[in-house]
Amino acid sequence: MKLFIDTANIDEIKEATKLGLIDGITTNPTLIAREGKEFMQIVKEICEIIDGPISLEAVSTKSKDMIKEAQGLAKIHSNVVVKIPMTREGLIATRQLAMEGIHVNMTLVFSPTQALLAAKTGAAYVSPFIGRLDDISHCGMDLVEQILTIYDNYDFDTEIIVASIRNPLHVLEAALIGADIATVPFKVIEQLIKHPLTDIGVERFLKDWEKVENK
Ligand code: G3P
C-alpha cells in the first residue's frame, strides 16, 4: 500500500519524508488555509520535497472553469494531480482532463456508485472520505471494500486513495482490504510508529547492555 501524507504543513512534510516511506501527498483548501501562507509558495515548497503524486484541489464549480484551473495547476509540475469534486460538473471536467492526459483525483466521494462514475470518466484516483462517513455513523471502510470490488470486477485502473483518515485503525483496515493508497495526517503517521512495548523493550535492552563488561 502506498502511503501519502495529508497535509500542507511544510515542517510536517519535511519530517515525514525523512522516514523514507512517503509516496505522495494530498492537500485540500482547508489544509492550505490552515497554513496562512500564499498558495503558490506552499506548492513550490511541496514540489521541492515530494517525489511523487501531489494532489492540489481545483476550487471552480463549473466544468469549463475547472478545466482551465486544472490545466494551470498541472503546468506547475509533472507530479501534480488535480483534485476535482465529485459533482456533475466535476465529472464533465474529469472526462476532458483525462483525455488531455491530466491526472485527476476525484474527491469528496461518499458512495460506491460515485466511485464507479469517477472511474468511468477516467479519473486516475478516487478519494473516498471514510472518516467523515464514520462521523455520521456510516462505516467508511465498507465503502472502500465496495469500490475495490467494483474496480476489480471491471478492471478499472483508477487507484483508491483512502482519505479522511483519523487513526491507525483506519490505516490497518485500508491495508487489510487492499486499498492502493492511504493518505494519512502527520499525527497518525507518528501514531503508526509508536508501540509502548517497543519503547519498554528498547529501554530494557539499553539498561541490560550497561551490565555487559568490556564492551
Ligand atoms: O484527504 C481528505 C482529507 O484531508 C479530509 O480529511 O479530516 O477533513 O475529513 P477530514
Side-chain angles (χ1 to χ4, degrees):
M1 184 173 69
K2 282 176 267 186
L3 201 62
F4 287 6
I5 185 166
D6 191 34
T7 187
N9 182 283
I10 300 300
D11 291 339
E12 289 184 351
I13 297 165
K14 282 184 180 160
E15 203 52 38
T17 48
K18 278 188 202 159
L19 297 168
L21 39 76
I22 299 299
D23 302 297
I25 184 167
T26 52
T27 66
N28 63 38
T30 306
L31 293 172
I32 298 281
R34 203 174 281 167
E35 297 310 307
K37 284 158 73 177
E38 259 187 42
F39 174 63
M40 278 313 291
Q41 179 57 34
I42 295 174
V43 171
K44 201 177 143 263
E45 289 184 58
I46 290 176
C47 290
E48 279 165 12
I49 306 168
I50 296 286
D51 182 20
I54 297 167
S55 279
L56 305 176
E57 191 146 344
V59 291
S60 308
T61 52
K62 294 284 172 221
S63 60
K64 265 192 184 159
D65 302 330
M66 285 173 174
I67 291 165
K68 228 172 138 189
E69 196 184 343
Q71 288 166 337
L73 291 171
K75 275 194 193 120
I76 298 172
H77 195 284
S78 56
N79 282 341
V80 168
V81 172
V82 184
K83 269 177 133 175
I84 299 279
M86 173 63 225
T87 59
R88 178 189 294 265
E89 296 292 318
L91 285 168
I92 295 166
T94 299
R95 163 69 76 201
Q96 175 61 33
L97 293 166
M99 283 192 311
E100 292 176 22
I102 293 174
H103 287 171
V104 169
N105 171 359
M106 188 136 256
T107 189
L108 290 166
V109 167
F110 293 97
S111 82
T113 40
Q114 285 182 322
L116 172 63
L117 302 186
K120 281 183 69 66
T121 54
Y125 303 91
V126 67
S127 288
F129 274 31
I130 55 143
R132 292 192 194 183
L133 280 170
D134 287 358
D135 289 346
I136 57 160
S137 303
H138 283 255
C139 179
M141 278 303 161
D142 284 353
L143 170 61
V144 177
E145 213 158 2
Q146 288 172 329
I147 298 173
L148 204 66
T149 303
I150 293 168
Y151 286 8
D152 280 351
N153 284 348
Y154 299 102
D155 275 339
F156 284 121
D157 291 334
T158 308
E159 290 189 72
I160 303 171
I161 304 180
V162 179
S164 184
I165 279 181
R166 303 274 161 81
N167 56 56
L169 212 48
H170 280 151
V171 181
L172 169 65
E173 286 169 337
L176 288 173
I177 289 171
D180 302 287
I181 302 152
T183 189
V184 185
F186 182 69
K187 188 188 117 198
V188 178
I189 294 175
E190 290 202 303
Q191 288 172 326
L192 289 170
I193 299 168
K194 281 282 186 190
H195 197 291
L197 289 179
T198 306
D199 295 341
I200 291 168
V202 168
E203 202 181 317
R204 193 176 299 163
F205 283 151
L206 288 178
K207 224 168 153 191
D208 289 341
W209 185 246
E210 286 307 310
K211 298 173 199 156
V212 177
E213 287 175 25
N214 297 327
K215 8 177 222 284

